[in-house]
Amino acid sequence: MAQSVKIITKDAQALLRTTRKYSIKQVSPGLYYHFGVEEGIISSPLKKCPIDDLSSTTLNLHINIDGLPLTKNSCSQFWPIWDTKRLSSTPPFLIGCYHGYSKPDSANAFLENFVADINICLCNGIDFNGRTFHIKLEAITCDAPARAFVKNIKGHNGYFGCDRCTQEGEHVQNRMTFPETHSRLRTNACFQSRTNEAHHTGDSILENVEGIDMIRDFPQDYMHLAYLGVMRKLVLLWLRGKLPVRLSSRQTGRISNDSLKLRKFIPQEFARKPRGLKEIDRWKSTEFRQLLLYTGPLVLKESLPKNTSLISWLLIVPLEYPSVQN
């Protein structure tokens, strides 16, 4: 009688048949691994999404590129390239990832594999279960420093640093400002032809992506503009600004107390509960968003002059609408 033989694997990699060989690319001063656009789309949106959500044969990609520090005690960091356009309950998927102790020396070397891969998918589409899905690059989102890096343009704090209009800008109190409100807007044709040479620091490999618009396909970063930008600046002016706009300690104490009283009424859909103004330096963007759109009208009602509160809301809240972001 034959005896059954039990085989015990040496480690988890052998049990899961994990690939042991990886094609890791040297991108100075770190390393880069390309997971692939087609592989990511098939493994995440196509295989995991319910069939009802795949009635359309066009898949829109929303690419995000940004730096991500790994620890507080070193400069170790990731620069992932990933798609954040979610279908139903499918998670975002990685397309490529760089690791090093500083950002890549060259954005073009960092994005080389991505550009070649995305062009193949844009031109040929992706075949899955007998169906061909057409790929459309909807947008590439980055914060201001990352956007300047991948587009090889001046930063937002430099002359000709605005990536929406052609005004030069001027320094006011050690800050770069763009005071003109009717300056000539940039277009993709002007970007490609280098009409405003002072705006560019070099050629971007992203210009080779099929059908890309180097202006409109890079939407503004609403989180840094509105929440960590305008709203945070307003709160800091109320707390630490000059006397004409600074609130008294009694007013700030009332705002903090009213915010804390609302904690038990905040539903679980909110990532964070309200905190007092003494912790303003540690507030996250979601807390400024909560103050702006939800709790602000309640806790600021008795502390701000009516005209100040109204003007603030009129300036910021319209930014919530997508039409303003482009």
Side-chain angles (χ1 to χ4, degrees):
M1 182 176 178
Q3 294 182 348
S4 61
V5 179
K6 295 183 179 179
I7 301 177
I8 301 176
T9 58
K10 185 176 181 180
D11 55 24
Q13 285 185 327
L15 177 64
L16 299 175
R17 299 180 181 179
T18 306
T19 304
R20 295 174 181 270
K21 295 182 180 180
Y22 303 94
S23 178
I24 299 178
K25 176 183 176 182
Q26 182 77 36
V27 174
S28 180
L31 301 172
Y32 174 83
Y33 180 76
H34 190 70
F35 295 90
V37 177
E38 181 175 354
E39 291 80 357
I41 292 175
I42 291 177
S43 64
S44 185
L46 294 184
K47 284 187 176 180
K48 297 180 181 179
C49 188
I51 192 64
D52 293 339
D53 292 347
L54 296 177
S55 56
S56 174
T57 58
T58 300
L59 298 178
N60 296 322
L61 298 185
H62 198 143
I63 305 301
N64 177 266
I65 304 172
D66 199 4
L68 174 67
L70 296 182
T71 67
K72 295 182 179 180
N73 299 324
S74 73
C75 297
S76 180
Q77 57 189 271
F78 278 148
W79 276 76
I81 305 172
W82 57 328
D83 174 71
T84 57
K85 182 77 174 183
R86 302 184 64 179
L87 291 174
S88 185
S89 58
T90 60
F93 61 87
L94 266 177
I95 295 173
C97 190
Y98 162 90
H99 174 263
Y101 290 90
S102 65
K103 72 178 185 180
D105 291 339
S106 169
N108 291 342
F110 166 53
L111 297 169
E112 182 180 9
N113 290 80
F114 166 72
V115 171
D117 200 4
I118 193 67
N119 276 335
I120 294 174
C121 293
L122 291 173
C123 294
N124 303 331
I126 293 177
D127 295 325
F128 179 74
N129 285 350
R131 298 172 63 185
T132 299
F133 292 89
H134 303 286
I135 306 302
K136 179 182 178 182
L137 182 58
E138 191 174 61
I140 299 179
T141 58
C142 317
D143 61 11
R147 186 166 60 248
F149 173 62
V150 299
K151 293 176 65 175
N152 273 329
I153 60 175
K154 293 286 184 65
H156 62 285
N157 56 353
Y159 289 106
F160 298 103
C162 178
D163 64 346
R164 282 296 187 268
C165 69
T166 58
Q167 65 174 297
E168 181 179 0
E170 59 182 79
H171 271 286
V172 177
Q173 297 181 358
N174 297 320
R175 295 176 177 85
M176 176 57 67
T177 63
F178 298 92
E180 298 178 29
T181 57
H182 295 89
S183 183
R184 184 164 62 91
L185 298 179
R186 299 189 186 277
T187 64
N188 185 55
C190 293
F191 188 97
Q192 300 277 0
S193 61
R194 302 294 188 273
T195 302
N196 184 199
E197 190 65 36
H199 178 62
H200 301 264
T201 59
D203 296 331
S204 174
I205 197 173
L206 290 176
E207 297 177 65
N208 300 327
V209 174
E210 186 72 23
I212 194 172
D213 188 316
M214 294 297 291
I215 305 300
R216 295 192 62 84
D217 288 347
F218 287 82
Q220 297 297 300
D221 176 28
Y222 181 61
M223 181 185 75
H224 286 88
L225 289 177
Y227 305 146
L228 295 176
V230 177
M231 192 61 205
R232 183 174 183 271
K233 184 68 174 178
L234 281 174
V235 176
L236 291 178
L237 284 173
W238 296 333
L239 295 178
R240 305 166 186 171
K242 295 182 179 180
L243 287 177
V245 296
R246 190 193 310 166
L247 299 179
S248 66
S249 58
R250 181 177 60 83
Q251 289 172 310
T252 56
R254 181 166 54 195
I255 294 173
S256 294
N257 292 334
D258 290 345
S259 296
L260 295 175
K261 289 178 183 178
L262 291 175
R263 288 178 65 92
K264 61 182 179 180
F265 301 106
I266 300 299
Q268 62 181 4
E269 283 76 14
F270 288 83
R272 294 174 180 271
K273 303 289 186 181
R275 288 194 284 181
L277 294 179
K278 291 182 179 180
E279 301 181 70
I280 190 67
D281 292 325
R282 291 183 289 276
W283 275 28
K284 302 296 183 181
S285 63
T286 54
E287 294 173 277
F288 287 107
R289 179 178 186 269
Q290 186 181 84
L291 179 65
L292 169 64
L293 300 178
Y294 300 97
T295 62
L298 297 175
V299 301
L300 300 176
K301 182 178 180 181
E302 301 298 330
S303 299
L304 291 183
K306 292 183 179 181
N307 58 338
T308 304
S309 180
L310 177 60
I311 291 174
S312 301
W313 253 254
L314 289 177
L315 287 175
I316 304 174
V317 172
L319 294 176
E320 184 72 11
Y321 295 95
S323 59
V324 180
Q325 296 182 30
N326 291 328

